[in-house]
Amino acid sequence: MAPDMTPPPGATAFLAVHGWVGAAVHPLAGDASFRRYFRVEAGERRAVLMDAPPPHEDPRPFLAVASWLTERGFRAPAILAADAAQGLVLLEDLGDERMREAIDAAPDRASALYEGAVDTLVALAKHPAGPFAPYDRDVLQREAGLFVDWYCPAVGLDVDAEGWRAAWDAVLWAALADTPVTVLRDYHAENLMLTAGGGLGLLDFQDALAGHPAYDLVSLLQDARRDVDAETEAVMLARYRAATGAGEAFVDAYHVLGAQRNAKILGIFTRLWKRDGKPRYAALCPRVWAYLERDLSYPALAPVARWFEENVPYERRGDPLAMSVA
């Protein structure tokens, strides 16, 4: 079901108050949440209007994270105006060139673009975590639970939920940061903009938490929306480690968080199909399974890998819509 891309009722007045009288408003994008985006044009000026409608969305976390990033020299879009009560935010327009489309159009640029994205994470890890909630064991467990809550029932599996939680309890210690950093949580090629002034523009960071630096690296290198081959993943992981001095414990954390994130995504994508009427997300699940299988091959994931062997037959690992049961 396509999102309604009609501008919200208060948009015209909001724009007029902030100097955009008579501006044209064009649909730009919707995403997996209730947020919608519109391009605003008035003569030569351009901006982006974010509609984050209450009570489903709250733009204040986005505003706080954007401020934190900008103050430290990262390329978040500038906030031009905001009305949190209406859920309306007017943002700097970072353009149209996302990392995803840039690589699709010119695959020979992939290495340099991934290097730049990794280097941005290296820079982010040099800063102590912002004033954000902790990405702790409870949050990681709750997210992992989305797999047994949504994916498993959708494909007709009655699984050992207690054993699932116990398996994660046995491995999550490896993914808890001694020195947390700001984790943007959705750091991938469709949320990274190639800006005219150079550097990567950052988007979709409103859910930032204070957690392990490996999480955003996993988001980038095990991208649910585009294939990242194992060789590229290995090269970029090595680049990050060389720049930060991260040891083998970081590799364990990377794959534990990779498995956790991919299990969570399988649950979320199934929920987007089943609950929210967005079946296109189910078709992304085979790619996510491929990443998950890659992570489960690492010794640090042995308890979780055993749970999968005992509970999820290989023929039930794929597109949940194609395997759905009534």
Side-chain angles (χ1 to χ4, degrees), residues 23-321:
V25 181
H26 306 290
L28 188 58
D31 63 19
S33 71
F34 289 95
R35 290 183 301 274
R36 302 178 304 158
Y37 299 87
F38 302 85
R39 174 158 283 139
V40 180
E41 297 180 327
E44 298 299 314
R45 295 187 299 154
R46 296 203 319 179
V48 170
L49 176 66
M50 179 173 73
D51 174 34
H56 305 293
E57 299 287 339
D58 179 357
R60 288 172 296 183
F62 179 93
L63 298 172
V65 181
S67 176
W68 188 91
L69 289 167
T70 301
E71 289 169 1
R72 286 153 185 81
F74 295 98
R75 194 70 170 88
I79 308 300
L80 306 180
D83 183 336
Q86 290 194 78
L88 297 175
V89 181
L90 193 64
L91 304 168
E92 174 190 7
D93 189 341
L94 297 181
D96 294 309
E97 191 174 17
R98 299 189 302 182
M99 180 175 165
R100 164 71 187 259
E101 285 76 19
I103 294 174
D104 289 348
D108 59 314
R109 298 181 66 190
S111 181
L113 291 174
Y114 273 105
E115 287 174 359
V118 169
D119 293 348
T120 297
L121 292 180
V122 171
L124 187 62
K126 293 179 180 178
H127 296 272
F132 310 124
Y135 210 169
D136 58 19
R137 182 187 291 268
D138 287 344
V139 177
L140 292 167
Q141 274 280 18
R142 183 167 65 250
E143 291 180 341
L146 294 171
F147 176 80
V148 296
D149 290 344
W150 287 95
Y151 181 91
C152 293
V155 300
L157 293 176
D158 183 13
V159 298
D160 176 9
E162 185 177 337
W164 173 255
R165 186 173 182 86
W168 284 106
D169 271 337
V171 304
L172 282 176
W173 62 269
L176 302 176
D178 294 328
T179 305
V181 304
T182 296
V183 178
L184 303 181
R185 299 182 72 198
D186 226 357
Y187 188 86
H188 56 77
E190 291 190 3
N191 283 337
L192 298 174
M193 306 298 296
L194 309 189
T195 64
L200 287 177
L202 305 175
L203 301 176
D204 205 10
F205 44 69
Q206 62 281 334
D207 295 323
L209 296 174
H212 200 288
Y215 190 91
D216 281 342
L217 194 62
V218 166
S219 301
L220 177 69
L221 301 179
Q222 296 188 6
D223 189 334
R225 292 164 176 80
R226 74 175 305 273
D227 292 329
V228 181
D229 61 77
E231 180 180 359
T232 297
E233 180 183 24
V235 169
M236 296 303 158
L237 176 56
R239 181 182 183 88
Y240 185 94
R241 292 181 63 195
T244 60
E248 290 300 320
F250 184 89
V251 178
D252 286 343
Y254 176 91
H255 289 291
V256 169
L257 287 170
Q260 186 272 350
R261 176 176 168 81
N262 289 317
K264 172 184 72 172
I265 289 173
L266 289 168
I268 290 173
F269 283 2
T270 304
R271 185 175 67 187
L272 284 166
W273 152 50
K274 294 282 285 185
R275 188 190 71 185
D276 301 335
K278 299 178 179 180
R280 66 186 182 277
Y281 287 96
L284 301 176
C285 288
R287 176 185 295 116
V288 179
W289 270 111
Y291 293 135
L292 177 55
E293 301 281 8
R294 194 184 298 175
D295 291 317
L296 292 176
S297 69
Y298 283 79
L301 270 300
V304 178
R306 281 196 297 273
W307 185 93
F308 274 99
E309 290 171 3
E310 295 168 359
N311 288 270
V312 186
Y314 284 98
E315 61 271 17
R316 298 281 94 185
R317 305 182 185 189
D319 180 342
L321 178 56

